[in-house]
Structure formats: structure tokens, C-alpha cells
Amino acid sequence: MSKMNSKIVGATLNLMKCRAQFTKTQDCCRIYHSCHAIKNLTAASNKTKQLGYCSESLSKCWNCKFTFKSELFCSKCKSLQEMPEDLTFFDIIGVKKDFNIDKNELQKKYRQMQNRLHPDKFSNSSEEEKQISERLSSLINKAYYTLSHPLQRGIYLLNLNNITLPEGTTNMNPEFLMDILEKNEEIERASKDESTAIKLIEENRKTLADLTKNIAEAFKKQDVETAKQLLIKMRYYTSIENRLKKIKQDIGIVE
């Protein structure tokens, strides 16, 4: 090989080494910056989660257009924001996602939210903020109503598992339906007899309490099918409860 060719080969090899080294350096930089970005995003995510209202997606403030993790108020101009769509009613109120809910905590969190977001608090704000406040207040009321009633709470938990309660009496146990029919006939008689009405009210309350306990246990075991069947029964007994409440008012029963 001539000296000239030897120099060309040597230069080529050196160039290849430089390119390889440069590529390696670029890769290292990319890895470093990627890791650094992930670390920052993780820290930001943890911080926004502590605020109680956040999602993993970035949002833009309707007022100042500042981009931020979804929170209740813009971190720059402090304007009230819409809640992220991916929040459940449990997230919105700020309680644990569970059928066996603490009613005192639920009520406390609900009042705290309404104290912050009630439209009266934004009477001097912009029209946009007033409308957002009205929507949020309505949403919080809906969430509270759903979570504070065992039947509605159970149905909502089923919906989060993509399960709905069937309408009508399809596939219902004939013996159970017969019991319900007899119970409704008793209610008809109770409308004219205070002692019978009181007896039925107490019996129905106990039945609902037992169902509530069993449904909580089913959800705890993640047995959604059993929870579904029990909720179907609870729907019937809740209907009976509503009828008994009306009779109680009509007769004038005071407890």
C-alpha cells in the first residue's frame, strides 16, 4: 500500500472513530436529558397530586393561556379553572374510592369545596369565572348526592367498572319478586294503619342496612358480580323506603 493510500485509510478510520464518539456523546446527552426530564415531570406530578385536582395532561389557562398541570386555579393568574375530565366523583370531593365511605368526612370535604367554589364567592369575578363556578358547584353537588346515597354510590362504582344495572325484572329470582310483591301489598294496608307502617319502616331499614354491609364486603373483595346482584335488590328496597316515607308523612308519624 502506498504512503498516500495509507494516509487516506488512516484518516478515514480516524473520521469513523470521531463520528462514533460523537454519536455516543449525543446518545449520552439524549439519555441524560431524557432522564432529567422524566425526573422533573415526576416531581411536578407529585406536587400537583398533593393539590387534589390534577391530571397527567397539560392544560392551558383560559385567561392568561399559561400552560400548567391541571389544577383548580391557574398557578400564574390564579383564575378558576375547569376540573379535569378524568376525575371521578371520589377525586372531586377528595375521599377514598370505596363503597364503605366515611359520611362525616364526605360531608366535611363537600362543605369545604362549596365554600371555595360556590358562585357567591365569584360575584365580582369575570363572566367566564362565574360560569365555571356555577358548573363546578353543580358538579360537586352531583358528586356529593351520588356518594352520599348507598344505592347511587354502588351503581356509580359499577359504572366505573363498565357495568350497568339491568332494567326490569329480567333474570330476577321468582321467590325474591314474590317477596317484594307481598311487601308492596303490606304497604297498601299500612297506609291506613300506623302500627303496621312503623313495623314495615323498621324492617325495611334493617334490610337496607344489611344490604349496605354486604355490598361493602363484596366491593372490598372486588366481587363486582355479587355487588351487582345485591344492588339490584337494594333498588327494590329503596323504592319501598320511598313509599314508606310518603306514608309516614301522610299519617303524620313522628320518630
Side-chain angles (χ1 to χ4, degrees):
M1 182 182 295
S2 65
K3 289 184 178 180
M4 180 61 70
N5 288 339
S6 179
K7 288 182 179 180
I8 292 173
V9 170
T12 302
L13 289 173
N14 287 334
L15 180 60
M16 290 174 67
K17 287 180 181 178
C18 288
R19 284 180 176 175
Q21 184 65 33
F22 180 72
T23 301
K24 183 177 180 181
T25 302
Q26 279 188 316
D27 289 341
C28 289
C29 288
R30 278 196 293 267
I31 292 170
Y32 170 78
H33 289 299
S34 295
C35 291
H36 192 63
I38 290 171
K39 183 179 179 181
N40 287 340
L41 283 174
T42 301
S45 176
N46 291 336
K47 183 178 179 181
T48 53
K49 283 177 181 177
Q50 292 173 0
L51 296 172
Y53 297 93
C54 63
S55 69
E56 293 305 315
S57 60
L58 292 174
S59 301
K60 239 180 200 181
C61 173
W62 60 268
N63 184 44
C64 68
K65 310 305 178 186
F66 180 70
T67 302
F68 63 100
K69 285 277 185 180
S70 298
E71 300 167 18
L72 198 54
F73 292 89
C74 173
S75 53
K76 184 176 181 181
C77 72
K78 309 305 179 185
S79 295
L80 182 63
Q81 305 295 310
E82 299 281 8
M83 284 189 186
E85 294 181 359
D86 58 355
L87 294 182
T88 68
F89 287 165
F90 296 94
D91 298 324
I92 290 170
I93 300 294
V95 294
K96 184 180 178 182
K97 180 184 165 185
D98 195 348
F99 180 82
N100 196 18
I101 205 166
D102 186 330
K103 290 184 179 180
N104 291 331
E105 182 188 13
L106 176 67
Q107 190 175 65
K108 179 182 177 182
K109 293 289 183 68
Y110 165 72
R111 287 175 176 172
Q112 288 175 345
M113 290 302 303
Q114 283 294 20
N115 284 337
R116 295 183 68 192
L117 300 175
H118 194 276
D120 290 347
K121 299 285 185 180
F122 298 87
S123 57
N124 296 323
S125 301
S126 66
E127 192 61 34
E128 180 70 22
E129 249 183 321
K130 287 179 183 177
Q131 291 179 7
I132 292 175
S133 173
E134 288 173 1
R135 287 194 291 271
L136 292 183
S137 183
S138 176
L139 178 61
I140 291 166
N141 283 334
K142 183 179 179 181
Y144 177 71
Y145 171 82
T146 301
L147 299 185
S148 60
H149 293 81
L151 177 61
Q152 300 303 323
R153 184 167 68 246
I155 292 174
Y156 181 68
L157 278 169
L158 287 183
N159 290 340
L160 292 180
N161 284 279
N162 299 314
I163 297 173
T164 57
L165 289 190
E167 296 294 334
T169 58
T170 307
N171 298 325
M172 286 299 298
N173 187 321
E175 186 178 342
F176 171 75
L177 292 176
M178 186 60 68
D179 289 340
I180 294 298
L181 182 61
E182 291 176 357
K183 190 69 69 177
N184 282 318
E185 290 175 352
E186 288 185 64
I187 292 172
E188 288 294 334
R189 293 192 294 271
S191 61
K192 301 180 180 69
D193 182 23
E194 182 175 332
S195 61
T196 302
I198 292 173
K199 174 177 169 290
L200 289 176
I201 289 170
E202 291 175 350
E203 287 178 352
N204 202 63
R205 281 178 182 170
K206 184 179 184 308
T207 299
L208 285 172
D210 290 341
L211 281 170
T212 300
K213 181 180 177 181
N214 293 335
I215 292 168
E217 189 64 27
F219 275 119
K220 184 178 180 180
K221 294 178 179 177
Q222 298 184 343
D223 185 356
V224 291
E225 185 56 37
T226 297
K228 174 184 172 182
Q229 296 305 318
L230 291 171
L231 283 164
I232 291 173
K233 290 184 177 182
M234 178 177 273
R235 185 166 59 186
Y236 281 94
Y237 284 106
T238 299
S239 177
I240 288 173
E241 180 188 33
N242 293 333
R243 289 190 64 192
L244 289 170
K245 280 182 179 178
K246 186 176 185 311
I247 289 173
K248 179 182 172 183
Q249 292 174 349
D250 293 341
I251 295 179
I253 297 174
V254 179
E255 294 182 88

